[in-house]
Amino acid sequence: MGTYLTKRIIYMIVILFAASFLIFSLYALTPGDFISSNIKLSPERKAELREIYGLSKPLLERYGIWMNNVFHGDFGFSLAQQQPVLKLFNQYIWNSFLLAVISTFLTWVIAVIIGVVSAYKQYSWFDTIVMVAIFAAMSIPSFFIGLFLIKILAVDLKWLPPGGMLTTGSNATGWAYIKEVIHHMTLPVIVMTLLGVGSLTRYFRSNMIDVIKQDYIRTARAKGLKEDKVLFRHALRNALLPAITLVGFELPALFGGSIIIEKIFNWPGIGQLYMQSFSLRDYPLLMGFTMLLAILTVIGTLLSDVLYHIADPRVRLH
Amino acid sequence: MAIHSTPVTDAVPAAKTTPKSSSLFKQSMRRLLRNKLAIFGLAVVVIMFIACFLGPVFSPYADNKIHMNVMNKAPSMKHWLGTDALGRDVLTRVLQAGRISLTVGLASMFLSVFIGALLGAIAGYYRGIVDQIIMRIADLLLTIPGLPLLFIFGALLSEWKVPTNYRMYIVMLMLGLVNWPGLARMVRGQMLSLREREFMQAAVVLGLRDRRKLFNHLLPNIVPLLIVIATLNIGGSILSESVLSFFGLGVMPPTPTWGNMIDAANNLIDFQEHPWLWIPPGFSIFITVIAINIFGDGLRDVLDPKQKR
Amino acid sequence: MKDLIKIDHLRTHFFSDKNVVKAVNDVSLRVREGETVCVVGESGCGKSVTAMSIMGLIEEPGGKVVGGSIEFDGRDLLKLSKNELRTIRGNDISMIFQEPMSSLNPVLKIGQQIMEPLIVHQKLSKKEARARAIELIEQVGISRAEQIADSYPHELSGGMLQRIMIAIAISCGPKLLIADEPTTALDVTIQAQILDMLREFKKKSNMSMMLITHDLGVVAEMADYVVVMYAGKVVEEGEVVKLFESPKHPYTQGLLKSKPIINQRQDELYSIPGQVPNPLDLTDSCYFHDRCAHCMDICRTKQPVLKGVADQQKAACWLYEEAVVHV
């Protein structure tokens, strides 16, 4: 396990280096930048600014400077917001995290319960309905369902606010503030849960179906255990085990925000920040964000592996 | 226990019918036909294709002429799904958009399956350094999140001023390029396990050449898996294309796609007052993708029963 | 001796798309108090399905007990509610299986798995159950019981796991123990130990045992009474010594002949010609007719019924039907 882990971490670092170079080159390759898209500046002023921000240097040198700064914990300076990228991330990431953590939690709870029940009642009408619902949830275009629900629930029925995190001009504090955030959060959370719940339910359903066929489930029944004990103590534990690897894969989604959902619901999260910066060609921020996601992805994969080793008693000792 | 009964029942039809080369295929098709949900999915997909590719031919509004006198009209007997800001018939536009969306979905699927299967098979077959290079590239691409990557590509297209009627082809290329690594991984995994199987050992003993082994013996064995992946991949590609086009980074008007038609919802008035402009293309995406997914799942049950869902 | 369990005309079928497999087709057998009955037959003959029918563990949809009765201690198990049956399972009737390696839950500790039936049926507290579990582990001849109770199944060998399965099975002092090929998956030396242990527990607690096996060596060693099954039916049954001395049904004769005997080396080991019939195209005939050396016309068209052919011995074969003229 020790040498395995070291190997994995070294490989992880190499991949991240390669990814950073790729990300940098891609953004550097993209024509146009924050300065040239600003029509108010004179050509001389533009050249001057480019010099200041180091944009006129050759690609490799710029990459070297960027990487050096990244190593010193500096992801650069957002040109559009005139603030350090990391400071901006810190400001927006928690809003993203709030949405993601609640919807992820709901997704898992719903997926486990429905997955278990429909596996147990395989081929029943309930199971058939669940299967169709799973396909439906997996086939919805995320941006469309967001728009559709805003139109119905917010615009037509006026039950929920159409977007944002607070009502415009609100200075609510304390409980009132929390209530307002929850009110605004409901719709995006519903949509994110809906989008995630399909594939996860399907995953748990098929895991459960496999587990229920195992010999040890027959033993548990032969012991005279109650069905709920058989299902939740004996079967679910085994079905959840491989799912632990998924926890790691959720990492980028938890902190990386959802570009589409945050854009549609005007949620002040990091995905929305990305979209704004994208139209402004604010490269330091864009690179920082993409790099952040890459780091989260790599760490998540490693975490999955480690978690699996910890969770499975069969693997633990070896 | 059912253990005793099931293998016997399974073995019986196989033993009865003569093991001709097509019998396995025929058997699979027979089993597929029994899966009503999957057949329903297939029927919906076929109807969608026919409607999109033939429908506009029978539409009196297929010329897309601008009619200022019927701007933004709600659905009526004359215009079943209403008209848009230029007085064009929305139903006809949705069907025309479907042509593009379906074509992009299919083409990018073919591209990613082709690249993914080829590289995955080569990596899994030759192993060693070739495998290392291919899989490291795949790992690298999988590390960079897909959506920002697509956005960058999309932005490149805009900056390079690619003519709008070419953008469609480049979007296909983009989606194909972003999707292959996952596929290559899966195919490689299959190849590695197939390599170890007896019939492959036999091919080695017989001294068959590499290319023959690869193309005659290994690839046919992953075809069922590929068909399943390819089918499900179309749905994913249609969804990705719609996201890109919705954000103005994919196929752009005047070429209509379902995604860029929903872009109407970005206009507050159209969003609130003219829902017939953006809801029908959204539902078209939804219905098409769900039908493809249901059919693909039925195919998987038939062609690749071992594969975990 | 009193009958402990009496199975009458049991029929358990499996349904697939169009076909029905009659896995257990009109089987009657009984186990008396303190008796060991061995059910013998090739794989797929319905012996395990019979056991699972008793336990009420035939998996639905697909399988279903479609007829007959299973009387246990004066009650018809087939008429009990699911909950009533559950209180009997693992308590009055318990079962051990063929594959010890996969029969225990990989993610639960051994101790926990032994404690479960004690908590459910005997209403012991967790603490009491654990103490009892450790006693049981010692009883099945495993030292370091405390340590074993805290280990996971993958840390033990197959023989040890089968001992644990026995510990679970005897934990609530069952009246009937069903053992489905309990030694098939184990090494020969371990097999003898496991069989000895089963015999010892049986003697100590006067429980009855239904032992399912295809190994005639095991039968000779363990059985008081033998039931031979073929293609879902009982073809012969009888007291063990008599049945081994003079088997009546040609199938039983074949089975006994195919067992190698020490000191009597043959050039070629005997095996019954042909194959078990496909359960899907069974016709109204003796199911053994196409493999039988004594096959007569009537065997192809009519099914023989189980009848007494000698003292304490029954067979279902036209050879012993008086109305039929022997060739």
Side-chain angles (χ1 to χ4, degrees):
Chain A
M1 180 86 194
T3 50
Y4 170 75
L5 205 62
T6 326
K7 261 193 202 161
R8 280 297 308 265
I9 291 174
I10 291 171
Y11 180 57
M12 184 178 117
I13 292 168
V14 172
I15 279 283
L16 275 179
F17 259 107
S20 72
F21 185 70
L22 193 63
I23 290 167
F24 189 88
S25 322
L26 275 173
Y27 284 108
L29 205 76
T30 320
D33 53 40
F34 178 65
I35 297 160
S36 53
S37 60
N38 191 337
I39 41 166
K40 278 183 281 181
L41 299 171
S42 66
E44 295 78 30
R45 179 67 187 151
K46 281 183 181 174
E48 201 180 71
L49 279 172
R50 282 222 179 80
E51 204 60 48
I52 292 171
Y53 292 123
L55 291 173
S56 51
K57 294 194 176 92
L59 177 73
L60 269 178
E61 198 184 333
R62 274 160 62 199
Y63 173 70
I65 293 169
W66 183 61
M67 272 318 275
N68 189 33
N69 288 340
V70 166
F71 268 105
H72 291 88
D74 176 9
F75 275 72
F77 196 80
S78 160
L79 303 171
Q81 317 261 345
Q82 291 296 314
Q83 284 195 56
V85 168
L86 271 187
K87 196 179 160 204
L88 284 168
F89 280 177
N90 192 35
Q91 200 177 315
Y92 284 85
I93 217 167
W94 300 109
N95 294 338
S96 291
F97 182 69
L98 183 67
L99 269 194
V101 89
I102 292 175
S103 57
T104 306
F105 176 75
L106 286 176
T107 308
W108 276 69
V109 171
I110 296 172
V112 167
I113 295 173
I114 298 183
V116 169
V117 175
S118 68
Y120 183 59
K121 305 196 163 186
Q122 203 187 352
Y123 305 127
S124 67
W125 61 267
F126 176 81
D127 184 40
T128 310
I129 290 175
V130 168
M131 281 313 285
V132 173
I134 286 173
F135 285 123
M138 284 168 58
S139 312
I140 308 175
S142 51
F143 63 97
F144 176 71
I145 188 72
L147 293 169
F148 188 69
L149 289 182
I150 292 173
K151 167 83 174 120
I152 304 241
L153 297 179
V155 175
D156 293 348
L157 297 171
K158 296 196 167 44
W159 287 350
L160 291 163
M165 196 162 138
L166 292 168
T167 314
T168 322
S170 154
N171 350 295
T173 49
W175 269 114
Y177 175 81
I178 294 174
K179 261 175 76 179
E180 211 175 304
V181 171
I182 292 177
H183 196 52
H184 282 76
M185 215 164 63
T186 312
L187 209 44
V189 164
I190 290 175
V191 172
M192 283 172 80
T193 308
L194 194 66
L195 290 169
V197 84
S199 52
L200 203 62
T201 306
R202 180 169 148 138
Y203 177 81
F204 281 120
R205 179 179 172 275
S206 70
N207 269 3
M208 270 308 267
I209 287 174
D210 286 348
V211 169
I212 283 175
K213 287 181 192 144
Q214 299 295 314
D215 285 353
Y216 52 80
I217 297 302
R218 185 182 58 185
T219 308
R221 293 207 171 109
K223 282 198 248 182
L225 301 186
K226 290 200 176 106
E227 245 348 82
D228 59 322
K229 266 262 166 79
V230 173
L231 228 49
F232 287 98
R233 188 178 154 94
H234 283 260
L236 186 58
R237 274 192 195 209
N238 283 282
L240 275 177
L241 200 69
I244 283 188
T245 55
L246 296 183
V247 175
F249 294 124
E250 296 273 13
L251 201 65
L254 278 179
F255 291 95
S258 164
I259 294 176
I260 296 169
I261 300 299
E262 286 174 12
K263 169 89 174 115
I264 298 281
F265 288 97
N266 197 22
W267 185 263
I270 196 160
Q272 153 99 303
L273 179 69
Y274 177 85
M275 279 310 276
Q276 268 174 29
S277 316
F278 198 87
S279 43
L280 295 169
R281 298 284 185 272
D282 189 353
Y283 289 123
L285 204 146
L286 298 179
M287 286 191 295
F289 177 80
T290 318
M291 201 55 214
L292 176 77
L293 280 186
I295 293 172
L296 288 171
T297 308
V298 170
I299 294 178
T301 315
L302 183 74
L303 189 70
S304 296
D305 250 33
V306 174
L307 279 176
Y308 191 70
H309 278 78
I310 291 171
D312 193 336
R314 282 162 295 191
V315 188
R316 201 188 293 167
L317 289 176
H318 309 303
Chain B
M1 278 263 34
I3 298 167
H4 292 296
S5 68
T6 37
V8 183
T9 43
D10 278 358
V12 174
K16 271 187 176 167
T17 49
T18 41
K20 261 190 270 174
S21 59
S22 66
S23 74
L24 199 66
F25 175 75
K26 271 190 198 156
Q27 246 184 67
S28 306
M29 286 305 108
R30 219 174 299 135
R31 260 190 294 163
L32 183 65
L33 284 174
R34 239 182 284 151
N35 185 341
K36 289 188 199 96
L37 202 61
I39 293 303
F40 178 72
L42 178 65
V44 172
V45 175
V46 170
I47 290 169
M48 209 64 175
F49 265 87
I50 293 174
C52 290
F53 284 88
L54 293 181
V57 177
F58 302 103
S59 163
Y61 311 106
D63 53 1
N64 273 322
K65 266 209 193 114
I66 296 167
H67 298 280
M68 294 313 239
N69 52 337
V70 286
M71 274 162 46
N72 288 328
K73 287 278 182 289
S76 62
M77 283 311 289
K78 219 172 147 209
H79 297 279
W80 292 354
L81 291 176
T83 60
D84 68 3
L86 299 173
R88 296 173 297 189
D89 180 57
V90 172
L91 177 61
T92 310
R93 296 263 313 156
V94 166
L95 295 178
Q96 288 169 334
R99 279 188 192 175
I100 309 292
S101 290
L102 291 172
T103 311
V104 170
L106 271 177
S108 63
M109 174 276 283
F110 275 119
L111 193 65
S112 59
V113 168
F114 177 76
I115 304 176
L118 191 68
L119 292 181
I122 290 174
Y125 185 75
Y126 288 102
R127 299 198 279 195
I129 187 80
V130 184
D131 180 23
Q132 285 292 322
I133 293 172
I134 293 175
M135 291 329 285
R136 286 329 84 158
I137 295 174
D139 278 353
L140 181 59
L141 286 178
L142 285 172
T143 306
I144 304 176
L147 206 51
L149 200 61
L150 286 174
F151 278 13
I152 298 168
F153 285 142
L156 278 175
L157 292 186
S158 302
E159 298 286 349
W160 285 337
K161 309 263 185 303
V162 174
T164 47
N165 45 340
Y166 284 114
R167 284 190 72 116
M168 164 181 162
Y169 302 103
I170 297 179
V171 169
M172 292 172 192
L173 211 66
M174 273 159 53
L175 292 175
L177 287 176
V178 171
N179 280 334
W180 73 263
L183 244 148
R185 244 190 204 178
M186 222 180 295
V187 172
R188 172 179 173 270
Q190 283 281 312
M191 285 303 259
L192 287 181
S193 70
L194 277 174
R195 259 188 84 109
E196 303 308 319
R197 296 249 287 274
E198 293 80 9
F199 68 90
M200 213 41 225
Q201 310 286 0
V204 174
V205 173
L206 289 173
L208 297 183
R209 272 190 310 155
D210 273 0
R211 233 189 27 213
R212 266 197 74 159
K213 275 187 280 187
L214 188 56
F215 288 101
N216 294 4
H217 293 260
L218 282 175
L219 278 180
N221 278 288
I222 54 169
V223 164
L225 175 78
L226 281 183
I227 294 175
V228 172
I229 296 176
T231 310
L232 295 173
N233 200 302
I234 304 173
S237 297
I238 291 175
L239 284 180
S240 304
E241 182 274 322
S242 72
V243 171
L244 274 183
S245 299
F246 171 72
F247 283 113
L249 296 164
V251 184
M252 295 233 254
T255 313
T257 74
W258 287 332
N260 69 30
M261 283 185 79
I262 303 176
D263 183 44
N266 283 333
N267 176 326
L268 194 67
I269 294 168
D270 283 341
F271 177 64
Q272 296 193 350
E273 310 292 334
H274 310 136
W276 61 86
L277 291 182
W278 56 274
I279 290 183
F283 271 95
S284 305
I285 299 173
F286 177 55
I287 291 166
T288 310
V289 176
I290 193 175
I292 290 173
N293 281 345
I294 286 177
F295 174 62
D297 191 70
L299 262 185
R300 160 157 39 203
D301 281 349
V302 172
L303 291 178
D304 195 26
K306 292 154 293 174
Q307 176 81 6
K308 258 201 149 178
R309 281 141 180 253
Chain C
M1 280 187 294
K2 245 175 72 190
D3 286 350
L4 178 66
I5 187 163
K6 193 161 172 289
I7 301 175
D8 273 311
H9 305 292
L10 180 71
R11 289 188 296 134
T12 305
H13 295 179
F14 288 92
F15 303 89
S16 61
D17 283 343
K18 291 175 225 154
N19 310 313
V20 179
V21 173
K22 297 175 179 174
V24 174
N25 189 1
D26 197 10
V27 164
S28 300
L29 61 87
R30 61 181 177 170
V31 183
R32 284 173 287 204
E33 282 176 358
E35 186 186 42
T36 299
V37 171
C38 279
V39 181
V40 195
E42 287 162 286
S43 55
C45 72
K47 49 196 198 308
S48 295
V49 179
T50 307
M52 295 313 273
S53 304
I54 297 172
M55 297 295 281
L57 292 177
I58 295 294
E59 269 166 52
E60 288 182 62
K64 203 171 184 324
V65 178
V66 292
S69 67
I70 302 175
E71 207 169 283
F72 177 79
D73 242 7
R75 290 195 286 178
D76 185 354
L77 296 183
L78 296 179
K79 293 213 171 73
L80 294 184
S81 73
K82 276 192 175 161
N83 204 39
E84 286 170 317
L85 195 58
R86 187 181 61 72
T87 58
I88 292 176
R89 271 205 300 267
N91 194 12
D92 294 322
I93 307 177
S94 58
M95 186 160 177
I96 47 182
F97 302 95
Q98 182 172 346
E99 290 289 343
M101 292 295 214
S102 58
S103 292
L104 285 159
N105 194 326
V107 301
L108 294 178
K109 287 178 183 168
I110 299 287
Q112 293 175 307
Q113 301 193 50
I114 305 179
M115 284 155 65
E116 277 177 335
L118 293 165
I119 293 169
V120 177
H121 299 303
Q122 314 242 301
K123 314 282 180 245
L124 297 189
S125 71
K126 269 203 171 150
K127 224 173 143 191
E128 293 165 335
R130 184 172 163 90
R132 179 84 184 104
I134 287 169
E135 267 175 49
L136 282 163
I137 298 175
E138 282 164 354
Q139 271 182 43
V140 291
I142 300 176
S143 50
R144 302 178 293 122
E146 289 266 0
Q147 202 184 328
I148 296 293
D150 284 326
S151 43
Y152 288 95
H154 72 275
E155 298 168 76
L156 309 185
S157 68
M160 292 246 258
L161 291 177
Q162 197 60 304
R163 284 162 194 260
I164 298 295
M165 284 300 291
I166 293 173
I168 293 172
I170 62 168
S171 62
C172 297
K175 293 177 186 152
L176 175 67
L177 175 70
I178 303 174
D180 187 356
E181 307 260 14
T183 56
T184 310
L186 304 175
D187 290 342
V188 185
T189 45
I190 315 281
Q191 287 186 9
Q193 292 173 13
I194 296 287
L195 291 177
D196 282 344
M197 182 172 294
L198 284 174
R199 205 162 26 194
E200 191 190 320
F201 282 125
K202 206 204 99 182
K203 210 189 291 171
K204 248 196 264 174
S205 61
N206 195 37
M207 69 181 179
S208 310
M209 195 152 73
M210 181 172 154
L211 186 62
I212 294 167
T213 182
H214 64 267
D215 183 343
L216 291 165
V218 172
V219 178
E221 197 136 317
M222 304 287 290
D224 298 315
Y225 196 82
V226 185
V227 175
V228 182
M229 283 184 72
Y230 187 78
K233 284 194 168 288
V234 175
V235 291
E236 177 161 10
E237 59 173 83
E239 196 272 325
V240 64
V241 179
K242 292 201 168 105
L243 190 122
F244 270 66
E245 270 174 4
S246 76
K248 300 295 186 213
H249 196 283
Y251 177 63
T252 319
Q253 291 166 355
L255 275 183
L256 287 167
K257 238 206 247 175
S258 51
K259 186 172 171 52
I261 303 163
I262 307 269
N263 299 332
Q264 290 184 16
R265 289 232 176 141
Q266 289 145 313
D267 288 343
E268 207 180 317
L269 282 174
Y270 179 80
S271 69
I272 305 173
Q275 282 175 337
V276 183
N278 180 349
L280 285 179
D281 36 47
L282 291 176
T283 51
D284 193 19
S285 63
C286 171
Y287 297 157
F288 191 60
H289 76 267
D290 52 354
R291 303 172 73 182
C292 182
H294 311 281
C295 184
M296 302 175 290
D297 283 347
I298 189 167
C299 303
R300 295 195 184 91
T301 51
K302 214 171 165 196
Q303 215 163 56
V305 286
L306 200 63
K307 277 197 176 147
V309 288
D311 183 29
Q312 292 188 51
Q313 207 171 345
K314 291 179 190 168
C317 181
W318 289 117
L319 288 173
Y320 306 95
E321 205 72 32
E322 276 148 32
V324 182
V325 185
H326 288 206
V327 185

